[in-house]
Amino acid sequence: MKDLLIFDMDGVLVEVSESYRESVVQCVLHFTGQRVSRDRIQEYKNQGGWNNDWDLSQKIASDLGVDVPHDVIVTTFNEFFFGTDGGANGNGLILREQWFPQPGLIERLGRRYQLGIFTGRLQYEADISLRRFAPSLVFDPMICADHVTQPKPSPQGLQTIATRLPGRRIVYVGDTVDDARSAAGAGVPFIGIAAAGDSRRDELMALFTAANAMAIIENINEIESAL
């Protein structure tokens, strides 16, 4: 019976600086006329509690003096992320995403572990990128935002996985303090990813250390040594 290796998606399996992060920038700019920096977005992320980019966009706009109803934020954000035509003609920022794992990495890991995903994405958002980048790979279990009632940093998603597959050792891989705190709350070993180019990398590494991360790496392609 294999141990479980569970991945977050954004910043772990998928490079999202030009998709989700840029959608935050564009959404805030749309409502406030002010361009928020990537460093400022990371500052919010490092505070914890801002795993949901709709909520984060609304919060930043509010902090800049513009209050926007949540449903309006969601609609506008999604127009930037998926495109104004819902992605039918490929004009959304989601198409800027890239797949982080080098060829063969996930397949090698799959020989040693049962691979799963616990992400703050909704299921349909996760499916779009997985169909694009990894159509032949199997991630099971897959827990998305619409499968839990309490989002990260709640441990509910990891607890759900542990309940479904009792007796398995679980390792969770994530790139935010909310990921680390979710793992800690579930009593699950955590591997943190702190990208070399992150302007707040030292701060993030300290947060991972405080959450008792078993290892901190620069990207998913270093995970084999960490395991």
Side-chain angles (χ1 to χ4, degrees):
M1 195 163 53
K2 293 180 179 178
D3 292 338
L4 296 167
L5 183 59
I6 308 298
F7 302 101
D8 178 41
M9 280 191 69
D10 302 333
V12 176
L13 295 176
V14 182
E15 208 290 325
V16 296
S17 63
E18 295 302 318
S19 60
Y20 278 105
R21 294 292 174 99
E22 182 62 18
S23 293
V24 173
V25 172
Q26 293 300 324
C27 191
V28 171
L29 178 64
H30 175 82
F31 289 110
T32 70
Q34 299 182 60
R35 183 177 293 275
V36 62
S37 69
R38 300 294 180 84
D39 180 74
R40 181 65 171 142
I41 292 172
Q42 189 62 45
E43 182 180 1
Y44 278 94
K45 292 284 187 180
N46 285 359
Q47 291 173 10
W50 299 111
N51 192 61
N52 185 302
D53 287 332
W54 295 333
D55 295 346
L56 176 57
S57 300
Q58 184 183 39
K59 169 63 174 174
I60 296 174
S62 178
D63 287 350
L64 292 174
V66 180
D67 293 323
V68 185
H70 193 264
D71 60 331
V72 176
I73 284 282
V74 171
T75 298
T76 303
F77 184 98
N78 285 351
E79 286 178 353
F80 287 116
F81 184 71
F82 293 110
T84 54
D85 59 358
N89 293 314
N91 64 348
L93 294 173
I94 190 173
L95 294 178
R96 297 185 181 181
E97 292 181 343
Q98 299 179 48
W99 187 245
F100 268 134
Q102 294 174 350
L105 173 65
I106 301 299
E107 290 82 356
R108 289 196 304 274
L109 292 172
R111 289 193 283 270
R112 297 173 55 192
Y113 300 92
Q114 181 172 333
L115 306 179
I117 286 174
F118 171 38
T119 176
R121 290 191 184 205
L122 297 172
Q123 175 85 57
Y124 77 93
E125 296 173 330
D127 287 344
I128 290 171
S129 294
L130 290 175
R131 282 196 302 266
R132 180 181 173 200
F133 293 116
S136 63
L137 298 178
V138 176
F139 295 96
D140 180 28
M142 187 161 80
I143 301 295
C144 301
D146 36 350
H147 302 149
V148 296
T149 57
Q150 301 169 35
K152 292 184 279 190
S154 166
Q156 186 184 50
L158 291 171
Q159 290 169 338
T160 298
I161 291 171
T163 299
R164 287 185 186 177
L165 298 163
R168 307 281 194 96
R169 180 175 183 265
I170 300 173
V171 175
Y172 186 45
V173 187
D175 73 317
T176 69
V177 66
D178 283 343
D179 294 330
R181 290 171 180 169
S182 178
V188 167
F190 177 74
I191 296 175
I193 291 181
D198 190 332
S199 61
R200 293 182 175 269
R201 185 171 191 267
D202 289 345
E203 179 182 303
L204 183 60
M205 291 175 67
L207 291 166
F208 286 161
T209 300
N212 297 314
M214 63 180 280
I216 302 172
I217 57 179
E218 288 190 3
N219 62 70
I220 193 66
N221 296 301
E222 297 180 354
I223 194 170
E224 290 171 294
S225 61
L227 292 167

